[in-house]
Amino acid sequence: MKVILLEDVKSLGKKGQVVDVSDGYARNYVLPKKLGIEANNKNMNDLKLRKANEEKIAKEQLEAAQAFAAEMESKEVVVSIKSGEGGRTFGSVSSKEIAEAAKAQCGMEIDKKKIQLTETIKNLGIYEVTVKLHPKVSGKLRVKVQEA
């Protein structure tokens, strides 16, 4: 019997796959536990429509991330921090501070977990910070660290 999986099943496959299982396994395990549905014409058509919709949504999210990355690269965020002699700061600039400054100054909502700092920012100056917006898209944000 052909079955469309509604959830990931360890020994069978991933969600959305069409797999061939024995009739007894399907009737006694897969169907009663709502792990899959029978692969008839209606359900196969629904699966195609669902996959097409998911692809369309994924494409829209990718385009939105690319547009946001292009907008972000033209902006500069200024972060003020206390510093001592020689431009050395007391502490470092965190991704949380960068995200808050981006929201306040540019109106950009950036998740602090998506900001990737390659090294800690402990000096005054201008830095390029990578922001992972999408699995395929990452943008650069200019961060200017100045004395408070």
Side-chain angles (χ1 to χ4, degrees):
M1 172 185 284
K2 289 202 180 282
V3 176
I4 301 170
L5 296 178
L6 298 176
E7 295 180 19
D8 292 353
V9 180
K10 193 171 186 176
S11 60
L12 285 180
K14 300 279 183 191
K15 176 180 177 180
Q17 273 187 322
V18 179
V19 293
D20 200 12
V21 296
S22 68
D23 291 348
Y25 185 65
R27 262 186 269 121
N28 295 323
Y29 183 73
V30 176
L31 298 177
K33 293 196 182 259
K34 306 281 189 227
L35 298 175
I37 54 175
E38 187 178 346
N40 57 25
N41 288 339
K42 178 191 176 298
N43 292 339
M44 292 294 286
N45 210 12
D46 290 346
L47 177 67
K48 285 181 188 176
L49 291 173
R50 193 177 316 121
K51 282 188 177 183
N53 189 29
E54 288 171 1
E55 288 175 13
K56 179 183 171 197
I57 290 171
K59 184 180 178 188
E60 289 173 355
Q61 289 174 343
L62 177 65
E63 290 172 356
Q66 289 171 337
F68 190 69
E71 176 191 342
M72 186 174 55
E73 289 184 17
S74 65
K75 306 275 183 171
E76 181 177 83
V77 176
V78 179
V79 178
S80 298
I81 191 167
K82 286 185 177 180
S83 64
E85 294 179 25
R88 295 281 298 169
T89 60
F90 297 120
S92 63
V93 178
S94 67
S95 58
K96 179 180 177 185
E97 293 170 325
I98 294 171
E100 289 172 355
K103 183 177 180 183
Q105 294 170 18
C106 304
M108 295 187 298
E109 285 281 340
I110 301 174
D111 187 10
K112 69 179 183 181
K113 295 173 190 150
K114 295 184 179 190
I115 297 174
Q116 298 175 330
L117 298 173
T118 53
E119 78 269 351
T120 56
I121 301 175
K122 292 189 173 192
N123 294 320
L124 301 178
I126 298 175
Y127 296 89
E128 290 274 323
V129 176
T130 305
V131 180
K132 189 90 167 150
L133 299 170
H134 188 270
K136 297 178 183 175
V137 179
S138 60
K140 298 269 187 208
L141 180 65
R142 289 172 43 102
V143 178
K144 181 178 181 184
V145 180
Q146 67 182 17
E147 189 172 350

